[in-house]
Amino acid sequence: MKPIELLAPAGNLEKLHYAYRYGADAVYVGLDKFSLRQKADNFSAEALQKAGEIKGDRKLYCAVNALFHQKEIARLEESLDEIGTFPFDAFIVSDLGAARLLRSRFPETELHLSTQASCLNAEAVKTYRELGFSRIILGREVRLEEIADIKAAVPEMELECFVHGAMCLAYSGRCFLSAYLADRSGNEGSCAHSCRWNWRVLEESQRPGEYLPIVEDPDGGYTTVLSSKDLCMIDYVAELRDAGIDSLKIEGRMKSLYYTAVVTRAYRKAIDSLEKPGSVDDKSLAAFRDELFRVSHREYSTGFFFSKKDIETPCMESYQREYLFLGTVGEELEPGHFLFNPKNHVEVGMTIEFVGPEIPFIEDGAFLLYDDEGNELAFADHGNSYRICPSVEVEPGYIVRGKL
């Protein structure tokens, strides 16, 4: 059986580096102005050249998945020469005009159909195959049993699906709420995530002016019926493989480096346990899985894969998280002393945890901090680089976090 690809998100060059380091076979990125995540950092020409050096023999996919108006498609056409200098292995596209331009200019680069195109059946898959697509990123509404039927009908076509991350309240993400309320179109890459706002409604005429939450929880807080649960399929990787999925995709180009690394690592280990029996022991596998519940997330669900009942129930809680992302461990400057790039306030004496590609975490309450000149410090803050001297064994590329 062909190995399953693990596809991770990267909103910037640092996240791309960590996605590969923590187990991604492929990473998808966005270009400025041509991606559905314009609020992500996205990639400059210089960053993309560096991305080519980092990726090695792994894959790099470019999301050009916005829907284009006439002026925008002209701007894409004008940018083709520059795009051709970047090390992309495939373009992720939903607009057929964009697909036509890219295929004409880059006939050797694969076309992957974006989930935005809502491809849910074998006849549609055959149509896109005839148009030159080599992979379909299935609509998120597809059921597991339908995936098996599609693969049986079109076995030569690669199938990809989202397995983890945020879900949209609208069908295949085709939402107009943000465009209507904030003049920011989700279909053109600038969603304001209006569905996550704390919505209230005006109660009936007998209570004029009295605004009440749409849904109240037992503790007196509130959420919104528009906010969907997050997707988590970590326990069903074998079922997805057996149904014919070629690539498991993680959502989250706008999420943190910590999220990218921990989620990628968990699915890497789940895949390895299937494809390389004995490579991950059961205890470690369970520990890596548990880490998915410690990164920031809404209530988890299995989306539409088994039924739509779970995903149709709105998320009743705000984001859940147990840890704060504190920074990253850089190169070893001298024995036991590492470059430290803090993302939040870190104080000597607090207990921190180091997270690595092959270890769930290691606690350290006796680390030391130094400035660039070797002076011992009591704390470190975001915006400067420091030295950290852990009391435990760590490696460059480890992530530092602290309990909330």
Side-chain angles (χ1 to χ4, degrees):
M1 186 174 291
K2 182 180 177 182
I4 303 172
E5 177 187 87
L6 178 58
L7 176 57
N12 58 37
L13 192 62
E14 187 179 26
K15 293 177 187 177
L16 177 139
H17 182 75
Y18 273 79
Y20 285 131
R21 180 184 289 268
Y22 281 70
D25 298 305
V27 171
Y28 64 101
V29 303
L31 290 176
D32 291 336
K33 301 178 182 178
F34 301 130
S35 154
L36 281 184
R37 289 294 181 268
Q38 288 185 14
K39 290 295 179 180
D41 294 340
N42 288 315
F43 281 73
S44 65
E46 181 181 0
L48 283 167
Q49 298 300 340
K50 292 181 180 178
E53 299 171 8
I54 293 170
K55 81 183 186 82
D57 60 357
R58 293 161 297 194
K59 299 293 183 70
L60 181 65
Y61 303 149
C62 178
V64 192
N65 54 341
L67 299 180
F68 293 85
H69 289 281
Q70 185 59 35
K71 289 182 179 179
E72 293 159 350
I73 200 73
R75 188 166 68 249
L76 175 62
E77 188 170 16
E78 292 168 359
S79 303
L80 292 178
D81 287 341
E82 182 182 15
I83 291 173
T85 66
F86 303 142
F88 297 132
D89 296 286
F91 296 108
I92 301 171
V93 188
S94 56
D95 187 298
L96 290 181
R100 184 177 184 276
L101 288 176
L102 291 167
R103 181 161 179 75
S104 176
R105 177 66 174 79
F106 311 111
E108 301 304 315
T109 305
E110 293 183 4
L111 284 180
H112 296 178
L113 183 74
S114 170
T115 191
Q116 288 286 114
S118 308
C119 186
L120 304 173
N121 63 75
E123 293 306 310
V125 171
K126 293 174 184 176
T127 299
Y128 286 112
R129 180 190 59 189
E130 293 167 358
L131 293 173
F133 287 85
S134 61
R135 178 183 294 186
I136 303 297
I137 307 169
L138 294 164
R140 299 196 195 196
E141 297 77 19
V142 71
R143 293 169 59 91
L144 193 65
E145 61 191 31
E146 294 175 315
I147 294 174
D149 291 341
I150 292 170
K151 191 66 174 181
V154 199
E156 68 275 20
M157 182 66 88
E158 292 185 350
L159 300 180
E160 176 182 309
C161 69
F162 280 93
V163 294
H164 197 94
M167 296 282 281
C168 183
L169 81 138
Y171 195 91
S172 291
R174 296 183 177 189
C175 179
F176 299 101
L177 191 63
S178 175
Y180 180 76
L181 294 172
D183 196 27
R184 287 169 49 182
S185 172
N187 300 305
E188 296 173 4
S190 56
C191 182
H193 300 287
S194 307
C195 57
R196 315 299 187 206
W197 297 353
N198 290 327
W199 286 91
R200 296 174 176 231
V201 294
L202 183 64
E203 194 59 16
E204 43 84 29
S205 59
Q206 298 303 312
R207 302 177 187 177
E210 182 178 346
Y211 286 86
L212 297 175
I214 292 178
V215 177
E216 287 188 283
D217 65 35
D219 298 322
Y222 60 89
T223 182
T224 167
V225 295
L226 300 178
S227 184
S228 57
K229 297 178 181 179
D230 281 358
L231 177 65
C232 179
M233 288 291 287
I234 190 66
D235 295 328
Y236 302 99
V237 172
E239 286 84 348
L240 290 163
R241 177 200 61 183
D242 294 344
I245 289 294
D246 298 281
S247 179
L248 305 183
K249 187 172 190 175
I250 299 166
E251 182 274 339
R253 275 186 285 153
M254 294 176 63
K255 295 183 179 176
S256 72
L257 176 157
Y258 169 56
Y259 166 94
T260 299
V262 169
V263 176
T264 300
R265 183 186 64 178
Y267 282 89
R268 173 78 275 148
K269 300 306 180 185
I271 293 171
D272 288 349
S273 70
L274 287 176
E275 299 184 342
K276 305 171 185 176
S279 63
V280 189
D281 63 81
D282 291 343
K283 183 178 179 181
S284 296
L285 187 63
F288 291 125
R289 175 192 180 278
D290 288 346
E291 290 296 310
L292 293 180
F293 297 83
R294 297 189 174 112
V295 295
S296 179
H297 67 281
R298 299 184 189 88
E299 293 176 75
Y300 280 141
S301 77
T302 54
F304 293 89
F305 284 109
F306 301 104
S307 77
K308 58 183 180 179
K309 182 178 180 181
D310 189 22
I311 195 63
E312 283 185 338
T313 304
C315 183
M316 300 301 293
E317 300 177 11
S318 59
Y319 278 109
Q320 306 169 32
R321 62 173 180 165
E322 296 183 19
Y323 289 90
L324 182 65
F325 175 35
L326 297 179
T328 58
V329 178
E331 64 178 307
E332 188 170 20
L333 302 171
E334 59 181 272
H337 286 246
F338 296 83
L339 181 66
F340 177 49
N341 301 301
K343 302 296 184 181
N344 279 291
H345 183 75
V346 181
E347 292 186 5
V348 172
M350 67 187 293
T351 298
I352 61 175
E353 293 179 358
F354 293 99
V355 175
E358 302 300 331
I359 58 160
F361 64 88
I362 305 173
E363 286 190 352
D364 187 359
F367 65 93
L368 297 174
L369 293 170
Y370 300 89
D371 64 18
D372 290 340
E373 297 178 354
N375 300 307
E376 192 169 339
L377 302 172
F379 63 88
D381 281 317
H382 177 59
N384 295 298
S385 62
Y386 301 84
R387 293 185 177 208
I388 189 169
C389 181
S391 68
V392 296
E393 187 174 343
V394 304
E395 297 179 8
Y398 277 22
I399 291 166
V400 184
R401 70 184 185 189
K403 287 188 176 181
L404 290 171

